[in-house]
Amino acid sequence: MMRCFLMVVFFTGFYGLGFGQGGDTIRAGRLFLDKRGYSLGINSQLAVEGLFDQSIFTPMEILLRKGAKNNQAFRVRLKGLLANTERNDDQERRKTHQSQLGLALGYEWYLPLGNRFGYYYGGEAEMGVNNNNVTRYFINSTSMGDFFVKRTDFEKTRRIGVLPLAGFTYRPLPYLYVSLEMRLEIFYEKLKFNSDSLIAPIENPNNSMPGSWGRYNIANWKLNFQPYSGIFIHLKF
């Protein structure tokens, strides 16, 4: 349902693009936000990837801008994901729970390129957490017999970092504009992994006992360049 709604927003935005390119009847105005202006945008990548492949889970990303002086703006970016899937085949039954939450605060400087186009640069500080929980049910055959196995893998990643960024904007209508930006992600991450299992003989599935288990923690720095982070469609108010 959410992806259908985003598809409507996505194609409505591009209808506005086509309408805006039909002529130069839109009066010239401020390309960017004034000091009291706001804009709210959503990343269309969720709708686009969901259209072509329903198995892809893309976080929802929302960007709020608040105008400041001299073609500058504050920005708050929020992204989140919540997905539960289940897969059954001849080998195993797998349940997956994924969640993601991130918050970024930043500042931008704008430079106009005429009355419709412009570009901007700035930076963000971001923090977030990702959870990935996978439970697998399968049969393990050994020399001692066949056993039911339930294995649970839990992975949690916390990260904090800075993101220099730059992008381009196009305004087809006075109240609507689109933006495309690139980011350089510099993050410090801490990953925690836990794995546990229970085993039980097929003849007596209620007689379960602990199986193998594993634990490890990893902390590292990560550098990632994003030349394309999706097309944002924004409404000004």
Side-chain angles (χ1 to χ4, degrees), residues 59-195:
M60 176 181 289
E61 197 169 12
I62 297 174
L63 177 59
L64 175 67
R65 285 185 169 106
K66 165 66 172 67
K69 61 180 181 179
N70 299 328
N71 283 341
Q72 301 170 29
F74 298 96
R75 56 184 278 158
V76 178
R77 183 169 54 86
L78 180 67
K79 64 179 179 180
L81 169 69
L82 183 61
N84 294 287
T85 60
E86 183 171 350
R87 190 190 70 185
N88 296 296
D89 56 34
D90 295 336
Q91 301 298 323
E92 68 176 15
R93 181 161 62 101
R94 178 190 295 254
K95 293 183 178 181
T96 303
H97 172 78
Q98 293 177 281
S99 63
Q100 179 178 346
L101 182 63
L103 174 66
L105 305 177
Y107 198 79
E108 303 173 335
W109 289 262
Y110 291 89
L111 295 169
L113 297 172
N115 290 328
R116 296 182 186 272
F117 293 92
Y119 68 98
Y120 62 91
Y121 61 92
E124 291 180 331
E126 180 179 332
M127 63 184 304
V129 58
N130 299 347
N131 292 316
N132 189 25
N133 192 348
V134 179
T135 303
R136 300 166 53 208
Y137 303 88
F138 57 94
I139 295 177
N140 185 27
S141 298
T142 69
S143 58
M144 300 176 61
D146 295 336
F147 293 87
F148 288 114
V149 180
K150 175 186 176 182
R151 173 171 172 170
T152 301
D153 297 331
F154 178 73
E155 183 178 290
K156 185 171 189 174
T157 305
R158 297 180 182 273
R159 65 179 192 170
I160 185 170
V162 295
L163 293 83
L165 56 89
F168 296 91
T169 62
Y170 173 66
R171 187 201 65 175
L173 299 170
Y175 57 85
L176 182 144
Y177 70 97
V178 297
S179 67
L180 170 66
E181 71 181 34
M182 61 188 73
R183 304 169 188 160
L184 177 63
E185 300 178 334
I186 307 171
F187 281 108
Y188 178 71
E189 291 188 345
K190 281 189 173 183
L191 183 147
K192 181 179 181 180
F193 178 83
N194 293 333
S195 178

Side-chain angles (χ1 to χ4, degrees), residues 11-47:
F11 286 112
T12 301
F14 274 90
Y15 173 79
L17 289 179
F19 179 81
Q21 290 176 332
D24 292 329
T25 57
I26 301 175
R27 65 179 179 86
R30 290 187 59 86
L31 176 61
F32 306 115
L33 300 173
D34 57 33
K35 192 173 182 179
R36 297 182 180 179
Y38 290 85
S39 72
L40 182 63
I42 187 168
N43 194 336
S44 62
Q45 196 71 10
L46 174 64

